[in-house]
Amino acid sequence: MKIKKLLRQTFKAAVEITFWCCILAVACVVGQVFLFASFRIPSDSMQPALTGGDYVLVWKPTLGARLFNLLDALEGKKVGIYRLPGWRSVRRNDVLVFHFPYPHRGDSIGMHMLKYYIKRCVALPGDTFRIDGGIYRVNGSADTLGIHYRQAEMGAMADSLFSPDIFRCFPFDSAYGWTVKHFGPLYVPGRGSTVAVDTQNIVLYRNPIMYETGKKITVRDGHVCLDGERLDAYTFAKDYYFMAGDWVFDSRDSRYWGLLPDDLVVGRAALIWKSEDRMTGKLRWARFFRKIR
């Protein structure tokens, strides 16, 4: 009888442990999907705000969590992404974590599930963005965008050390000749905004249009065509952002690959919850729980 009682108690304890383990696993999954995510910073492209070895917390309810087919995304298939309502929209100078938008090649936007970037948003949907002498500007806005003294250093370096070709950037087209010192103006489209399309400015919007429609853009007889049909204007279905790293000397950002669609944004980086030296592994306690600005 004692053995039977012991077996019943053991079985009951095992069931209870399994139950609570399942509850904990479900809570972790729900938390990762709807509430938060943690990312390790691998490089110094966001110095001084962030440095390699920092671990940042993304609080998803701020901008709204996303729902999509995870298995299809991991297989590299195009997925429909739905964003839940958030507390607020993206603001200029928000630091965002997002999927790198060019996982395969530079002529199409996609979602790389295992490759994340973290950059600062310097232009919102509806903004007209430009770079004057290395300084980021938005027409009609007095906001200080990014880290001005770093941008000024980049402008000075471009004059004193390097030829303009080294600083060439998006859209890498001779009709524009933009550089990281003199760039734009570039209109950043948003949901519902209509842009006139011609054979010159299509290089600016080719990738977003193909991303939204899944159709191929060609230029024929002096006109832009979308799957063979003439395209004179396009109304965008998504919001887009212009992203920049604070360490402007070494940051692969929108200056080089273009606009970021909203549905690739994981969320806003809220704080550094942990930090360790990449070389020694020692914890950098002074950076723990530091708010990201």
Side-chain angles (χ1 to χ4, degrees):
M1 293 296 293
K2 290 183 178 180
I3 294 177
K4 289 183 178 180
K5 183 177 180 181
L6 180 62
L7 289 175
R8 283 197 300 269
Q9 290 175 341
T10 303
F11 177 75
K12 182 179 179 181
V15 170
E16 289 180 351
I17 291 172
T18 301
F19 172 78
W20 287 111
C21 285
C22 290
I23 292 295
L24 181 61
V26 170
C28 288
V29 171
V30 171
Q32 285 282 331
V33 172
F34 295 101
L35 298 179
F36 59 85
S38 175
F39 298 90
R40 180 180 181 273
I41 306 301
S43 72
D44 294 328
S45 68
M46 278 297 292
Q47 283 190 337
L50 301 169
T51 190
D54 287 344
Y55 288 77
V56 300
L57 181 71
V58 172
W59 186 240
K60 293 185 177 181
T62 302
L63 304 181
R66 300 173 305 159
L67 300 177
F68 56 88
N69 189 314
L70 179 60
L71 294 179
D72 283 351
L74 288 172
E75 292 176 3
K77 299 178 181 177
K78 185 175 177 60
V79 295
I81 302 173
Y82 173 75
R83 187 179 296 279
L84 297 174
W87 295 344
R88 67 170 177 83
S89 58
V90 176
R91 298 170 183 168
R92 297 190 195 100
N93 284 326
D94 277 351
V95 176
L96 306 179
V97 173
F98 54 92
H99 300 281
F100 180 61
Y102 292 94
H104 306 299
R105 55 188 187 276
D107 61 353
S108 63
I109 296 176
M111 183 169 69
H112 194 310
M113 275 299 298
L114 302 179
K115 189 172 184 179
Y116 297 93
Y117 273 28
I118 183 167
K119 305 292 178 187
R120 190 178 299 276
C121 177
V122 293
L124 301 171
D127 285 346
T128 297
F129 176 79
R130 68 187 194 279
I131 304 177
D132 291 337
I135 304 298
Y136 302 152
R137 312 280 191 194
V138 165
N139 289 358
S141 172
D143 289 348
T144 297
L145 304 172
I147 308 299
H148 265 215
Y149 71 88
R150 292 296 185 200
Q151 298 166 37
E153 289 175 8
M154 170 63 88
M157 183 181 292
D159 282 338
S160 61
L161 297 179
F162 298 108
S163 68
D165 286 343
I166 294 180
F167 289 89
R168 291 179 64 244
C169 59
F170 176 84
F172 297 100
D173 188 281
S174 58
Y176 289 90
W178 293 350
T179 70
V180 293
K181 183 179 179 183
H182 296 292
F183 180 99
L186 170 66
Y187 176 73
V188 181
R191 186 181 296 109
S193 60
T194 299
V195 173
V197 174
D198 57 40
T199 56
Q200 181 171 324
N201 74 355
I202 191 58
V203 297
L204 305 177
Y205 302 111
R206 176 193 303 271
N207 293 329
I209 293 174
M210 290 195 302
Y211 177 63
E212 292 189 1
T213 64
K215 298 179 180 180
K216 185 178 180 180
I217 287 179
T218 56
V219 176
R220 186 176 62 194
D221 299 328
H223 299 288
V224 177
C225 297
L226 185 63
D227 266 8
E229 297 293 326
R230 180 169 169 174
L231 182 69
D232 295 315
Y234 182 78
T235 300
F236 288 87
K238 302 179 185 295
D239 288 330
Y240 292 85
Y241 308 103
F242 196 97
M243 309 299 299
D246 288 352
W247 187 250
V248 294
F249 310 101
D250 186 18
S251 176
R252 303 302 297 181
D253 48 41
S254 287
R255 295 174 299 168
Y256 300 98
W257 41 257
L259 299 170
L260 171 70
D262 173 78
D263 53 9
L264 297 190
V265 176
V266 177
R268 176 178 173 266
L271 82 160
I272 302 167
W273 68 270
K274 175 185 173 181
S275 184
E276 61 183 22
D277 189 289
R278 289 179 296 172
M279 301 299 294
T280 65
K282 292 183 178 180
L283 297 177
R284 297 182 290 212
W285 294 102
R287 298 187 64 81
F288 275 48
F289 300 107
R290 178 180 293 185
K291 188 176 181 180
I292 298 173
R293 300 182 183 278

